[in-house]
Amino acid sequence: MKKIFLASAIIAASSFAAFAQSGKQNFNPAGFSAVYVKEPAVNFSDRNNRKIVNSRAVRDFAKTFKDVVNENWYSTGNGFIAKFMLNGIQTRVDYDNRGNWLATFRYYNETHLSPAIRHLIRSNYYDFKINLVTEVAVADKTAYIVSLEGERAFKKIKVVDDEMEETEHLEKSF
């Protein structure tokens, strides 16, 4: 089960880059079907568009993220996505068509990383700089995918339940 979750978390985190650049994203944590972003569907400043997003998703979002007022909603083939920036953390929340929460992705730098996770990574990769942290929450599990940069290489490390594994290694060419 852990391996399935970890593989799904890595796939989801890796595919965010494609989503951010192309406007499309394949998302498949724990067997959920692919989610494709078609276009922005709802802007909360437009009262007429509020009906497009499932009311259960809107209620869950408002209950979970009380301080957020500037989110953008996107319609997908299989549900809805809410995206927002708060306190330097980019967040994406996925819901299915019925308004059920599927996953939360948070993207941030080292300063927002928990001290325990930062210590675990730093103690093993002390010559590397932490460039980006992708936190993926699905069901009751949270995975951290950490992008590192060293003098001679780039690495991606995943951390789940205090278990750390190197998932990618790329040598720099000089």
Side-chain angles (χ1 to χ4, degrees):
M1 182 70 175
K2 278 187 185 179
K3 289 183 181 182
I4 292 171
F5 172 77
L6 295 176
S8 298
I10 289 171
I11 290 168
S14 298
S15 62
F16 174 78
F19 167 76
Q21 292 177 3
S22 71
K24 293 183 179 180
Q25 194 246 345
N26 294 323
F27 173 67
N28 194 6
F32 293 116
S33 58
V35 173
Y36 296 98
V37 175
K38 293 179 180 176
E39 60 185 78
V42 173
N43 183 335
F44 267 125
S45 63
D46 184 354
R47 289 183 164 264
N48 295 327
N49 286 335
R50 288 186 183 181
K51 296 174 186 171
I52 295 171
V53 175
N54 185 294
S55 61
R56 179 189 243 176
V58 174
R59 281 192 310 268
D60 179 76
F61 183 88
K63 180 178 146 188
T64 306
F65 302 99
K66 292 179 174 113
D67 296 334
V68 177
V69 293
N70 63 340
E71 76 275 6
N72 292 305
W73 286 89
Y74 299 88
S75 176
T76 70
N78 300 328
F80 306 96
I81 295 172
K83 292 175 70 178
F84 63 91
M85 177 77 89
L86 183 65
N87 299 326
I89 298 174
Q90 177 69 40
T91 304
R92 171 186 162 162
V93 186
D94 288 13
Y95 294 93
D96 66 15
N97 278 332
R98 294 182 174 179
N100 298 312
W101 173 81
L102 297 174
T104 301
F105 300 86
R106 298 175 70 212
Y107 308 92
Y108 47 86
N109 61 25
E110 181 179 3
T111 60
H112 297 289
L113 186 59
S114 74
I117 303 294
R118 182 177 20 215
H119 175 71
L120 181 64
I121 293 168
R122 285 278 186 207
S123 63
N124 290 286
Y125 297 95
Y126 47 85
D127 288 335
F128 285 79
K129 176 185 174 209
I130 296 175
N131 284 336
L132 175 68
V133 177
T134 303
E135 179 183 319
V136 182
V138 177
D140 62 344
K141 290 281 190 182
T142 301
Y144 300 88
I145 294 87
V146 182
S147 299
L148 303 173
E149 181 178 359
E151 187 177 312
R152 300 187 176 266
F154 295 99
K155 294 181 185 257
K156 277 201 179 171
I157 309 300
K158 68 178 173 183
V159 179
V160 177
D161 295 333
D162 294 328
E163 293 181 22
M164 184 169 57
E165 180 182 344
E166 185 175 316
T167 59
E168 290 182 37
H169 178 92
L170 178 65
E171 292 290 327
K172 289 182 178 180
S173 60
F174 293 96

